[in-house]
């Protein structure tokens, strides 16, 4: 056993012993700060509950200016403030990322519309849904279908009025009202050719709408990829 292995063995033994004897774990960056400040009883100040961990960005921000007579209390305060528990939801706070939806189908085109709600599309189902952020679920909003052809919406954008503008792979350009009724705005290009299937859209500062059209002609034509993508 070389020195490094011995050290690992001793550390492992100490950790296991500590666990068996019920020594609570401590937060490393706190111990460093605590010692740097010349405080005593750092093992107590920097104690964390078993199963908890500390969100480092939070810790860094919280502890950066700690100094002076209240330092010990302030350090403990930061430990409390920045602790994250064992469950998935809490652990995700460590990265400040929170999973909101667990839909199995692919999602596209997230948009906060003018009514303040978040909307997303499930393009394989041809659906636009409203997201209930509070309860982390989706609410059916509109199913796109024209003359028996189901839509495959890919992009959403706020446009003039309270309408949501939709680029659709199969149905072209659509406009959805707040009550969920919709209409096809464009199905032909300026050469009077069937519009190519659409992907994304954006309004510029002058109010012009720009769309990408990377697919073949829209329904009733069968779906194909475009041979020459165009932007109109
Ligand atoms: C950083 O800490 C200050 C006060 O200590 C607080 O007001 C601020 O919200 C914190 N910022 C972050 C990103 O946590
Ligand atoms: C995790 O983040 C959510 C949303 O910001 C918050 O409500 C919750 O209190 C956080 N949990 C912990 C343990 O910090
Ligand atoms: C769209 O269709 C799905 C399933 O086919 C259904 O669950 C949903 O309620 C429909 N949405 C609307 C707005 O009718
Ligand atoms: C939605 O509102 C429009 C007017 O903005 C109206 O013409 C249409 O009938 C309404 N549709 C439904 C389903 O309520
Ligand atoms: C679409 O494909 C089916 C099956 O290949 C074919 O029978 C039909 O004629 C096609 N429709 C069009 C509009 O090309």
């Amino acid at each position: 056993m070389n020195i490094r292995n011995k050290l690992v063995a001793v550390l492992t033994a100490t950790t296991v012993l500590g666990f068996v004897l019920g020594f609570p774990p401590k937060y490393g960056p706190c111990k460093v700060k605590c010692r740097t400040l010349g405080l005593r009883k750092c093992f107590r100040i920097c104690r964390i509950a078993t199963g908890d961990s500390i969100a480092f960005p939070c810790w860094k921000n919280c502890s950066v200016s700690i100094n002076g007579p209240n330092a010990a209390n302030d350090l403990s305060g930061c430990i409390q403030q920045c602790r994250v528990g064992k469950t998935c939801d809490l652990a995700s706070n460590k990265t400040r990322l929170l999973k909101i939806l667990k839909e199995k189908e692919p999602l596209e085109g997230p948009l906060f519309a003018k009514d303040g709600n978040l909307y997303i599309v499930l393009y394989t189902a041809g659906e636009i849904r409203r997201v209930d952020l509070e309860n982390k679920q989706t609410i059916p909003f509109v199913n796109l279908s024209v003359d028996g052809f189901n839509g495959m919406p890919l992009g959403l954008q706020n446009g003039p009025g309270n309408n949501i503008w939709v680029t659709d792979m199969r149905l072209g350009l659509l406009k959805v009202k707040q009550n969920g009724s919709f209409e096809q705005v464009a199905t032909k290009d300026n050469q009077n050719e069937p519009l190519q299937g659409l992907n994304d859209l954006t309004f510029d500062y002058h109010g012009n709408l720009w769309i990408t059209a990377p697919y073949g002609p829209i329904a009733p034509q069968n779906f194909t990829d475009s041979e020459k993508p165009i932007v109109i």
Side-chain angles (χ1 to χ4, degrees):
M1 206 185 258
N2 65 25
I3 297 223
R4 192 163 173 276
N5 285 350
K6 269 185 198 159
L7 191 63
V8 170
V10 168
L11 282 177
T12 309
T14 317
T15 311
V16 170
L17 192 66
F19 185 73
V20 171
L21 295 178
F23 293 160
K26 295 139 205 96
Y27 185 49
C30 174
K31 282 204 296 184
V32 172
K33 178 94 187 179
C34 187
R35 289 195 189 122
T36 311
L37 290 169
L39 299 172
R40 298 178 59 207
K41 300 194 174 157
C42 290
F43 67 94
R44 188 169 290 167
I45 293 166
C46 297
R47 184 163 63 187
I48 57 178
T50 308
D52 267 5
S53 55
I54 305 298
F56 184 66
C58 169
W59 166 262
K60 213 172 144 191
N61 180 50
C62 182
S63 64
V64 67
S65 57
I66 290 180
N67 214 333
N70 283 328
N73 267 343
D74 292 347
L75 286 177
S76 296
C78 288
I79 294 271
Q80 286 310 310
Q81 189 184 319
C82 301
R83 60 191 278 265
V84 275
K86 252 181 181 171
T87 68
C88 175
D89 216 26
L90 298 180
S92 65
N93 278 18
K94 279 203 268 188
T95 56
R96 313 248 162 174
L97 290 174
L98 210 54
K99 188 157 191 161
I100 293 168
L101 295 178
K102 294 178 178 132
E103 301 285 337
K104 288 199 185 74
E105 293 182 60
L107 306 178
E108 270 266 8
L111 174 77
F112 278 97
K114 290 178 184 170
D115 65 359
N117 288 306
L118 175 64
Y119 292 83
I120 45 119
V121 300
L122 281 76
Y123 60 89
T124 48
E127 282 189 56
I128 304 176
R129 292 197 191 164
R130 187 184 291 139
V131 180
D132 177 349
L133 288 169
E134 191 109 340
N135 298 308
K136 298 184 184 166
Q137 60 190 24
T138 57
I139 301 161
F141 176 55
V142 54
N143 289 346
L144 299 171
S145 158
V146 175
D147 298 336
F149 293 99
N150 289 335
M152 291 190 89
L154 288 174
L156 301 177
Q157 208 53 262
N158 291 310
N162 286 325
N163 302 305
I164 297 176
W165 292 64
V166 184
T167 37
D168 192 295
M169 195 196 285
R170 301 291 292 132
L171 301 176
L173 183 64
L174 306 154
K175 194 168 83 174
V176 183
K177 295 202 162 78
Q178 264 176 0
N179 65 7
S181 69
F182 70 93
E183 63 184 82
Q184 267 178 313
V185 175
T187 55
K188 299 261 168 81
D189 67 16
N190 62 354
Q191 315 286 312
N192 212 31
E193 294 291 326
L195 205 59
Q196 293 194 171
L198 307 181
N199 185 355
D200 277 321
L201 75 167
T202 188
F203 283 92
D204 68 18
Y205 288 117
H206 307 289
N208 300 307
L209 175 61
W210 296 80
I211 57 185
T212 56
Y215 303 106
I218 59 172
Q221 298 303 307
N222 285 334
F223 175 76
T224 50
D225 264 329
S226 168
E227 283 173 10
K228 50 173 176 80
I230 54 163
V231 177
I232 53 173

